[in-house]
Amino acid sequence: AQNCGVPILFAERGPFPCSVFLAGVPIGPEMKFTKALDETLIAQPNEARDQGALDGLIARYLKHDQSAWEQPPREEEAVLRKRWGIPEDYRIIFCAAQRPADANMLLHSPHFSSNGAFIRHIISAMRGLPKTALVIKPHPKESTSSDQEIMDAVEMARQLGVMAVCDRTVNIKDAIEVSTVVASINSTTGLEALLHGVQVVVGGESYYSHQGFTFDVQCSDDAAEIARLHDYIKNPQYSSSQQEKGKRGGA
C-alpha cells in the first residue's frame, strides 16, 4: 500500500471497553490524540461535536465497571485493605504490570527491560516514605509463571522496609480508586487512572506521556532520578511547568 501511495489506517484494541484505535501510524508513543477519524474524511471539522462525543465516552466509561481487560468482581476498600494488610491511614501506590512480550514493552520501554526492574525502581523511590504501601497487579492475560520477578521485588521491598503486596484478584478500577498514585510503564491503566483524576507515573514511552500531566521517568539507575520520583510520590502534584523543569534537570 505504501509503494502504491494508498493511505493506511492501523487498527488495534483501544483503551476503553469495546473500543478500537484507528491511526495513520503504528500504535505507539508517536501516535497522538489529534483529529477524529471522521474529521480526516470530512472537509469541515466540528470541534464542539467531537468534544461532546469524547465527553460522552469518558462519562460512560466512568459509570460502568468494565475496563479494557476482563476484571474480577469489585470490592469495598475496607475489604481490600484487610486482605492486603494495609492500614486505612496508609496511602497506596498501585503498579499495573504489563505483558513482558508486548510490543509496548519490547519497543517503547527504553529504561526498563522487565516489570521487575520497573517495580524495583518504584520501591527504591518509596524508601523512607511514611505510611505508604505498594500494591502490584500482574497483567490479567499473563500466566502465573511470570509472577516470580514480581514476588522477588516484593521481597526486596520488605527488606528495605517498604510495605508491598501482589494481588491478581483486585479489580483494576478498585485499585485505581483507592490509590494516590498509579505507576505503569506505558499501559492503558495509566490512561484509565488519569480519567479518574489519579496521578500517574509513566516508566516508558506512551501516547499519553510527555503531555505535562504525567510524571515521566527519564532514566532507571540514577540517584537523582530516584530522588525526583521520591519527591513526587511524597507530594504527587504535577503540571506542565514541573514537567519542563524536570526535563531541564531541575530539582
Side-chain angles (χ1 to χ4, degrees):
Q2 287 178 328
N3 292 339
C4 295
V6 178
I8 301 172
L9 279 176
F10 294 88
E12 185 174 318
R13 182 190 183 116
F16 302 105
C18 304
S19 68
V20 175
F21 269 135
L22 292 173
V25 295
I27 308 304
E30 62 276 2
M31 188 190 74
K32 302 299 180 185
F33 291 113
T34 54
K35 293 182 179 180
L37 177 61
D38 59 355
E39 282 191 29
T40 67
L41 304 177
I42 301 173
Q44 296 181 349
N46 185 323
E47 292 186 8
R49 176 201 63 206
D50 294 331
Q51 186 61 48
L54 179 59
D55 290 344
L57 174 65
I58 293 173
R60 289 194 299 274
Y61 163 75
L62 293 175
K63 284 181 180 178
H64 62 63
D65 291 339
Q66 292 182 331
S67 183
W69 299 97
E70 185 177 350
Q71 297 292 324
R74 301 200 63 173
E75 301 174 273
E76 296 292 333
E77 179 175 353
V79 174
L80 293 173
R81 285 182 176 270
K82 183 177 180 180
R83 183 164 80 234
W84 296 334
I86 299 176
E88 62 179 13
D89 60 339
Y90 272 52
R91 297 186 311 142
I92 293 174
I93 310 301
F94 174 61
C95 182
Q98 298 182 222
R99 304 197 74 177
D102 186 84
N104 273 332
M105 282 286 289
L106 298 175
L107 301 178
H108 305 306
S109 180
H111 310 306
F112 305 100
S113 60
S114 67
N115 286 303
F118 178 58
I119 295 168
R120 290 193 297 271
H121 184 79
I122 301 297
I123 292 170
S124 296
M126 290 177 63
R127 292 185 67 179
L129 291 176
K131 296 186 177 182
T132 306
L134 177 66
V135 175
I136 308 157
K137 181 176 182 178
H139 194 282
K141 291 298 182 180
E142 193 63 27
S143 68
T144 56
S145 62
S146 67
D147 289 359
Q148 187 57 52
E149 65 172 352
I150 295 176
M151 299 311 300
D152 290 343
V154 169
E155 179 58 30
M156 167 194 162
R158 290 170 180 164
Q159 293 176 2
L160 296 177
V162 175
M163 180 178 285
V165 296
C166 177
D167 187 355
R168 271 187 169 271
T169 64
V170 62
N171 185 294
I172 201 77
K173 284 201 167 186
D174 289 337
I176 290 172
E177 290 178 2
V178 302
S179 298
T180 302
V181 174
V182 168
S184 173
I185 292 178
N186 47 27
S187 168
T188 55
T189 301
L191 179 60
E192 293 184 68
L194 290 171
L195 295 181
H196 281 275
V198 178
Q199 298 288 314
V200 174
V201 171
V202 183
E205 302 297 320
S206 174
Y207 52 85
Y208 57 81
S209 61
H210 303 292
Q211 305 295 316
F213 44 78
T214 57
F215 179 99
D216 303 319
V217 175
Q218 297 172 5
C219 60
S220 60
D221 56 0
D222 181 76
E225 175 68 5
I226 292 176
R228 189 172 74 94
L229 180 56
H230 175 95
D231 291 343
Y232 172 74
I233 295 175
K234 184 177 180 180
N235 183 28
Q237 297 178 358
Y238 227 60
S239 65
S240 296
S241 60
Q242 287 176 297
Q243 186 76 333
E244 288 303 317
K245 186 177 181 180
K247 290 178 182 178
R248 296 193 301 269

